[in-house]
Amino acid sequence: MMVWALAENPSRRFYEKLGGRIITQDIDKYRGFTAPVIAYGWNELPIFIRRSS
């Protein structure tokens, strides 16, 4: 799986905490604005199981 995040967004560290690794970086152009973006990738997704009591 791969997900893109704005490089300047401090919340992107969430993906690192889930084991995502930076696989590439780019500049995104959208409606006249440009911003650096980072792609995080996983070979396997972590599975979280929530058990009800």
Side-chain angles (χ1 to χ4, degrees):
M1 181 177 139
M2 182 177 80
V3 63
W4 287 95
L6 293 171
E8 294 182 16
N9 183 351
S11 297
R12 69 181 171 82
R13 303 280 185 227
F14 169 79
Y15 300 119
E16 295 173 11
K17 290 180 182 179
L18 290 177
R21 296 179 188 207
I22 296 174
I23 56 175
T24 192
Q25 298 182 29
D26 202 355
I27 301 295
D28 191 22
K29 297 176 184 174
Y30 181 72
R31 295 186 180 189
F33 295 96
T34 59
V37 291
I38 296 174
Y40 289 94
W42 293 261
N43 290 330
E44 295 182 24
L45 294 177
I47 297 175
F48 299 97
I49 299 174
R50 183 178 177 184
R51 296 181 185 212
S52 59
S53 50

